[in-house]
Amino acid sequence: MDQQTFLTQAMIFLAAAVIMVPIAKRLGLGSVLGYLLAGIIIGPAVLGLIHNDSGDIMHAAEFGVVMMLFLIGLELEPALLWRLRKSIIGLGGLQVLLSAVIIAGISFGLGLPWQQAVALGLILSLSSTAIVLQTLQEKGLMQQPVGRHSFSVLLFQDIAVIPMLALFPLLQNLPLGDATGDEHSTLVDGLPAWLQTLVVLGSVALIIGAGRFVVRPLLRLVAKTRQREVFTATALLLVIGIAVLMMQVGLSPALGTFLAGVVLANSEYRHELESDLEPFKGLLLGLFFIAVGASINFTLVAAQPLIIGGLVLGVMAAKAVVLYLLGRSAKLSLNDRFLFAFGLSQVGEFAFVLLTFTNQHGILPQELTSLMVAVVALSMALTPLALLVHEHLLAKRLQPANASARQQDDAIDEHNQVIIAGFGHFGNTVGRFLRAHKIGLTILDNDADRVELLRRMGFKVYYGDASRHELLAAAGAESAKLIIICLEPSEKRLELIETIKKHFPNLRMLVRASNRYDAYDLMNAGMLHIYRETMDTSLRVGVDAMRFLGFRAYTAQRAASLFFKKDEANLRKLSAIRDEEEYILSAREKIEELEKLLQTDMVQNMQDIERGWDEESLIDAAHRASDATVQP
Amino acid sequence: MPRLLLLFAHPALEKSRIHKRLIRELKSIPQVTFHDLYEAYPDFNIDIATEQQLLLSHDIIAFQHPFYWYSAPAIIKQWMDLVLEHGWAYGSEGRMLEGKKALNIISSGGPRHVYAPEGRNRFTYRQFLAPFEQSVRLCKMDYLPPFVVPGTHRMEQQDLETFAALYRQALILLTAGNAPTDPGAELLNDQLTSSGILTH
């Protein structure tokens, strides 16, 4: 592909997505359906802008799934994965087994040879990780029982692909075509079986070990360069590297990156990785959905509408029944059971891979695989529609009963009440003070060395740019009571304030200010709790100076706190004036303001000596009146 | 109806049992202004102008505090020292508080019977409270008998509830303008009956 064709193709894909996704979203159809429609429209069936042999695009797009699994892995701490083990093996295992048995049984009944029936059953039992997870995330259901169970099933399926690939050659029942040359060879091809197993296990161990001992220091090193794009490049390199390694040893790249994600889930760079890779994942997945849409062979569908329609509905119905029953045994609510059943009833993207594979290995005949490719693509396209039907017809009837149970589920994640943004000299004093009183803290900081140290000390600390919405959300800004903003650059503080005002209006902000003028800006931004960093220290110097000059300690201390109070009041007054006129203070005006301040200090503070401790008036009175009984 | 300013002083309210329970009653008595001195002035830097303004806008002043060392926690003393200025609260020119009423609302660890000439503490509550009584008098106000929650060290929850109800009653009667008619009575408690009528 020369550059111009490449760019033209890219333009067509992007334009289709940009036009169709917002329309689909506006119509309440979800982004997946939008991408699929875009694919159908630019595909050979409608406009014919891209060609049917979009295999390259499909391959690139499949990488979106790999990246998605890495990101999912990042969100799954090993402990959580361990807790899900029953549901992964139990639910996932049963789902694959039962669906495969039923579909294979029906195929066999329809007259297919048993080898073909078994292959079809296994292939069609898989669901689409890409569509289901994208949809669940969009609906915010990932943290709920139905989301977790769906995820468990999908994870099992992704793992199950590996033994399927190993098993399929045994099912050969047709003469081998000459198409096998297409398959790429792996490093382990020539090795004996036991060595292959060893290599596979070794690679998994390598990922886990490297994730823990190599990748984290590497990320820290890269983070220290403070070059955002290098960090992004490292993240991409990580995912692509693992995918390549996995393919070399004949494992699923999705599984490998998922594993790497899990290993890094506990790392301090988790959120940075997440937000760096998120756009790539989104685009690649979008591309993937478009490719699916474009690959639906409508000529074939038009030629055999009844057979294909019947197959699509039959497969989806069979899978949905199995899922519904499993959902019931997993004690999902009625509504969630339907969601679970409809959501996972399509056939997944791995089916494309497996269908090609079975064709090449002489298991399924060409006509059957083309037919099935259309069935798979259609079932994927139907999923968002099935979920829409569920949402609009069923959910409304079933929802009220379990709405309250849902809300409780949301509150599982516990978060600290205080977030400190910026843990430099200023922030760490505040943090140490609060921690000394056992107040739970979540720290956001962008100094790699410090983050490392703090984590070792047992702080809950995230690396990254605190003014970013996702990082704040991850740190629990939704449920925290306070955020203490101690970031060094004042522009960063203002940026963070804007983000919080927009997304977390209930979070109370305590803000560090560098000086008076900075404090004015913060006041204009609506801040109520502003702390000028030099104010208290300067006054403490003043107090000590007074003491060295012979003032009593308590007098000096009271003078300072009085001065502080007046100055705060003055600050507010002057800020109000400035606000009205909207001007930026020039150097000259700063001097004038200082002069004004100095004058008011003299007048106010001199007058405010505590008269209660001043005996002068009493002594006067005693001299004037002979009646001394009126004095204490 | 008279308004009551409750000058409240407890240096560690989070550890208090008695006062935390008592002040819960205040929510439903609108005429009472609750002013938590330790909360308002953690640095003892009392704002004199604000305090004087508060005094002027109320008719009855109550000091509520534990009876530490037969007296009040330090911030009450600081408050008196600074706010009750010569020429404002007392002295030939100081008449700003004239005619108002004042009292102490206190809790004591020891039971009531030890606050007697023959008891362990040797003096009565009112004898210990003499500095308050005289300061109030000097500011040309009327001193009312104190409301006391005695024996707090061994108080059962049930008795605390009784005292809370009595406290509530006392505040309601005071803010209804029914100040006790016997200013010389030992305790305000004695003038309240369960039916909520002042005895004579």
Side-chain angles (χ1 to χ4, degrees), chain A residues 442-459:
Chain A
T442 298
I443 297 164
L444 309 178
D445 198 70
N446 61 356
D447 180 310
D449 284 330
R450 203 152 55 207
V451 167
E452 164 69 13
L453 170 79
L454 290 170
R455 280 179 67 86
R456 270 212 310 273
M457 302 287 291
F459 282 94

Side-chain angles (χ1 to χ4, degrees), chain A residues 554 557-558 560-562 565 609-614 617-619 621 624 629-632, chain B residues 41 43-48 52 78 81-82 84-88 90-93 134 138:
Chain A
Y554 190 59
Q557 199 265 318
R558 277 185 62 83
S561 56
L562 195 66
K565 223 189 242 176
I609 289 169
E610 297 77 16
R611 290 189 298 149
W613 289 328
D614 189 352
S617 64
L618 281 169
I619 296 164
R624 272 186 280 110
T629 57
V630 295
Q631 289 160 28
Chain B
Y41 305 112
D43 59 355
F44 272 50
N45 208 0
I46 288 166
D47 185 330
I48 297 158
Q52 291 182 342
Q78 179 92 334
D81 292 352
L82 290 173
L84 303 177
E85 286 177 330
H86 178 242
W88 187 85
Y90 69 98
S92 53
E93 317 261 301
Q134 178 53 24
L138 189 69

Side-chain angles (χ1 to χ4, degrees), chain A residues 85-106:
Chain A
R85 68 191 187 280
K86 269 193 200 150
S87 126
I88 294 172
I89 295 169
L91 275 186
L94 279 174
Q95 187 274 332
V96 171
L97 191 71
L98 292 177
S99 308
V101 166
I102 291 176
I103 295 170
I106 294 174

